[in-house]
């Protein structure tokens, strides 16, 4: 699916203003971009974390089942005619500079600076069959679950819950929710208008069980 850098700018603005202050309290960070597609979400987060001073102590995991998409994400090259929209999103997301500071344009293409992926592990991962691989502080999985049936959504949300450190954050897409998931009791609403939840610091009893 075609995405955009800083797609749904209000989501990234909420991360910048509301989530980053909490993440900044950790000495080191891990971020999982699940279903990273062609990489737009990864570069959005890398830029945001750099601007907020957390990039150097963060390890990003960009995972995707589609090898071709994963290779494109790792390359970080996009059509130049998309950059105007990307730049508009970036500004609306609270960008502190110009998006053009982060890429080089030539021959109708724009390549994001290699340094933005210097802290990223790109790897294949299947939310339907694979298991948790690391403890992380933020899972951002946007506009992926809408393509799954209920059972696969629940499996994915269970993986995210198992991956997140206590007090970690989960960000989903505009039309996605964990409200009716079997794992909803493990989370508290943080900014549900932007589809951001927080992993409970203290385990809660699932009263629906």
């Amino acid at each position: 699916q075609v995405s955009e850098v800083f797609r749904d700018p209000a989501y990234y603005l909420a991360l910048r203003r509301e989530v980053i202050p909490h993440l900044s309290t950790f000495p080191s960070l891990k971020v999982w971009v699940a279903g990273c597609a062609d990489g737009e979400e990864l570069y959005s987060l890398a830029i945001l974390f750099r601007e907020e001073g957390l990039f150097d102590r963060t390890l990003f995991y960009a995972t995707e089942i589609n090898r071709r998409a994963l290779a494109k994400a790792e390359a970080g090259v996009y059509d130049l005619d998309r950059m105007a929209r990307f730049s508009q999103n970036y500004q609306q997301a609270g960008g502190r500079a110009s998006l053009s500071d982060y890429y080089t344009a030539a021959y109708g293409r724009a390549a994001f600076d290699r340094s933005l992926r210097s802290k990223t592990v790109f790897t294949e991962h299947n939310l339907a069959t694979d298991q948790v691989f690391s403890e992380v502080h933020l899972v951002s999985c946007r506009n992926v679950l809408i393509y799954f049936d209920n059972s696969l959504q629940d499996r994915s949300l269970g993986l995210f819950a198992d991956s997140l450190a206590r007090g970690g954050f989960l960000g989903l897409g505009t039309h996605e929710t964990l409200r009716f998931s079997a794992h909803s009791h493990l989370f508290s609403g943080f900014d549900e208008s932007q589809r951001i939840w927080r992993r409970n610091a203290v385990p809660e009893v699932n009263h629906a069980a």
Side-chain angles (χ1 to χ4, degrees):
Q1 302 296 315
V2 175
S3 186
E4 296 175 354
V5 173
F6 290 97
R7 179 180 180 179
D8 302 321
Y11 168 76
Y12 292 97
L13 188 61
L15 290 181
R16 190 187 294 271
R17 292 179 174 175
E18 302 171 31
V19 174
I20 289 293
H22 293 279
L23 294 182
S24 66
T25 64
F26 292 96
S28 61
L29 294 164
K30 292 182 178 179
V31 174
W32 180 11
V33 185
C36 70
D38 292 346
E40 292 93 339
E41 187 176 351
L42 169 69
Y43 291 104
S44 304
L45 290 170
I47 291 169
L48 190 158
F49 273 60
R50 174 168 288 181
E51 292 187 347
E52 298 304 320
L54 299 183
F55 182 83
D56 289 339
R57 53 177 156 134
T58 302
L59 177 63
F60 297 88
Y61 295 100
T63 66
E64 172 60 49
I65 189 175
N66 185 310
R67 293 183 181 181
R68 182 176 295 179
L70 193 63
K72 187 168 183 179
E74 190 165 6
V77 179
Y78 303 94
D79 292 337
L80 187 58
D81 60 9
R82 301 180 67 195
M83 302 312 288
R85 179 54 184 257
F86 292 178
S87 295
Q88 182 181 33
N89 290 347
Y90 166 75
Q91 293 298 330
Q92 293 175 357
R96 300 186 183 278
S98 169
L99 189 65
S100 61
D101 294 340
Y102 298 103
Y103 67 84
T104 302
Y107 306 106
R109 306 279 277 169
F112 277 105
D113 194 303
R114 289 179 179 273
S115 66
L116 290 174
R117 52 188 180 275
S118 64
K119 305 279 290 182
T120 300
V121 176
F122 294 89
T123 187
E124 290 182 49
H125 184 273
N126 188 337
L127 292 170
T129 59
D130 294 337
Q131 301 302 318
V132 170
F133 56 85
S134 183
E135 182 179 72
V136 302
H137 303 87
L138 169 64
V139 175
S140 192
C141 181
R142 310 197 69 240
N143 306 302
V144 174
L145 299 186
I146 53 175
Y147 299 104
F148 294 173
D149 62 22
N150 289 340
S151 62
L152 186 50
Q153 286 182 13
D154 246 20
R155 186 186 195 279
S156 301
L157 291 169
L159 288 179
F160 300 155
D162 290 343
S163 295
L164 281 166
R166 302 290 183 186
F169 295 87
L170 170 65
L172 300 178
T174 304
H175 301 293
E176 298 167 334
T177 185
L178 56 72
R179 186 173 297 171
F180 305 108
S181 165
H183 307 284
S184 62
H185 65 287
L186 299 173
F187 293 86
S188 298
F190 184 78
D191 185 343
E192 291 192 55
S193 68
Q194 298 307 323
R195 298 299 191 267
I196 300 172
W197 286 264
R198 193 171 193 184
R199 184 72 161 86
N200 292 330
V202 178
E204 292 188 3
V205 176
N206 184 357
H207 298 290

